[in-house]
Amino acid sequence: MRYVKVAITVATLLGWTAWGPIQSASGAVPSLVERVDSLALDFTSQFDVLAKRYGLSLEQVLQLSDRLGDDHWAQQARKMGLGARDVEPLYQALAALPHKRNDELTPYNLLNPVKDRWGLSTKEAEIGWERFGPLIEQVAIEQGIDPLILGAYVWTESNFDARQDTRARGKIAVGLASIQAQDYVHLGGPLEARVERLKRDPHLNLTLAAREFKARWKPDDMFGTVMDVWYPAWRRQGRIPNLGTAYAYVQLFSNRYFLLMNVTGG
């Protein structure tokens, strides 16, 4: 499928060469666990390269990775034996790799799949992707983003319901991608007319969401990208309606991202 090529291309551009084999040695499509394990092994090897380069142990490098952003990071690195000239280069090298502070295990810095309180059902994705997958893929490619990111967003936001119409606190989330109808005045017409248009035209609905992802795209911080698109107020550390924290939402989103990989064979 075309979206697989896009995903691999994006991963390659970001420097992730171990996106995971399309087939295992036995010829079978690798399972979700095998994909995650493969990524984890690749990431560990990258940290090991840095450990050898800077004369530290792998454990020390991982500890320093966990502490990125700490005001006393440089002092901690020096106490481990890192030379003064190597402090900044190592910091920059670690910043370019996944950081445990976001539990990152993929090129998109999403959370490791776990069971969430909403439950997991690939049946939802199979039905939704059969109906809207080709359109999601088309729009994502048109806008230059990973179709599985857009697909996971749609699954999380509307459960593939093009007629979604959720209203709360003066906001109206409409259609497949929960587009905020009140924010798109440029579409023309009164608010209710925009609501109906966003329901009737899934291509437009998805395109608006994909453009927002593209505009906010941070390839080294997909956690932040997802939250900035879905609920920008998360950066003010306010409580998120129905979820509590940004991590709860991204966990939900991430589970669906990984499940879509299985459903689509991506």
Side-chain angles (χ1 to χ4, degrees), residues 1 63 68 92 126 184 238 242:
M1 295 180 73
Q63 287 177 0
L68 285 173
Q92 295 301 327
E126 289 166 1
Y184 287 89
N242 304 319

Side-chain angles (χ1 to χ4, degrees), residues 172 174 178-209 211:
I172 307 177
V174 181
S178 287
I179 295 301
Q180 298 292 314
Q182 71 281 349
D183 294 340
Y184 287 89
V185 179
H186 73 275
L187 294 179
L191 178 59
E192 289 304 322
R194 298 200 300 273
V195 168
E196 286 306 310
R197 181 181 176 188
L198 288 167
K199 291 178 184 178
R200 292 195 314 269
D201 190 344
H203 184 277
L204 172 63
N205 193 290
L206 291 170
T207 297
L208 293 175
R211 285 176 180 170

Side-chain angles (χ1 to χ4, degrees), residues 231-251:
Y231 194 73
W234 80 283
R235 291 193 180 275
R236 298 195 295 272
Q237 299 182 339
R239 182 176 176 79
I240 297 174
N242 304 319
L243 289 167
T245 68
Y247 287 93
Y249 180 82
V250 175
Q251 184 68 71

Side-chain angles (χ1 to χ4, degrees), residues 80-192:
M80 291 180 180
L82 188 68
R85 291 181 300 177
D86 292 331
V87 169
E88 183 61 24
L90 178 57
Y91 188 97
Q92 295 301 327
L94 289 175
L97 295 177
H99 323 317
K100 283 191 176 181
R101 61 182 177 180
N102 280 345
D103 297 328
E104 296 149 342
L105 276 179
T106 82
Y108 298 99
N109 309 324
L110 298 178
L111 299 170
N112 188 22
V114 299
K115 190 170 183 177
D116 60 57
R117 57 183 165 138
W118 288 268
L120 297 172
S121 171
T122 57
K123 195 65 178 177
E124 295 175 352
E126 289 166 1
I127 294 172
W129 196 264
E130 182 178 358
R131 184 177 180 189
F132 292 111
L135 180 59
I136 291 172
E137 179 184 354
Q138 175 191 338
V139 170
I141 291 174
E142 287 173 352
Q143 300 302 320
I145 68 171
D146 181 354
L148 293 187
I149 289 287
L150 184 57
Y153 188 71
V154 168
W155 185 7
T156 304
E157 287 300 298
S158 72
N159 199 19
F160 298 97
D161 180 5
R163 298 296 299 174
Q164 178 194 201
D165 187 335
T166 303
R167 305 182 183 222
R169 297 176 296 279
K171 298 182 181 297
I172 307 177
V174 181
L176 288 173
S178 287
I179 295 301
Q180 298 292 314
Q182 71 281 349
D183 294 340
Y184 287 89
V185 179
H186 73 275
L187 294 179
L191 178 59
E192 289 304 322

Side-chain angles (χ1 to χ4, degrees), residues 53-74:
R53 181 184 302 167
Y54 292 100
L56 301 173
S57 69
L58 176 60
E59 181 179 358
Q60 287 175 317
V61 170
L62 290 173
Q63 287 177 0
L64 289 173
S65 176
D66 291 348
R67 296 171 184 171
L68 285 173
D70 189 306
D71 290 339
H72 303 291
W73 189 90

Side-chain angles (χ1 to χ4, degrees), residues 4-5 12 34 38 40 71 126 152 157 168 177 190 203 225 233 246 265:
V4 175
K5 296 179 181 178
T12 302
E34 289 173 333
S38 176
D71 290 339
E126 289 166 1
E157 287 300 298
H203 184 277
T225 298

Side-chain angles (χ1 to χ4, degrees), residues 20 42 48 65 171 214:
D42 178 62
D48 192 44
S65 176
K171 298 182 181 297
K214 186 69 172 181

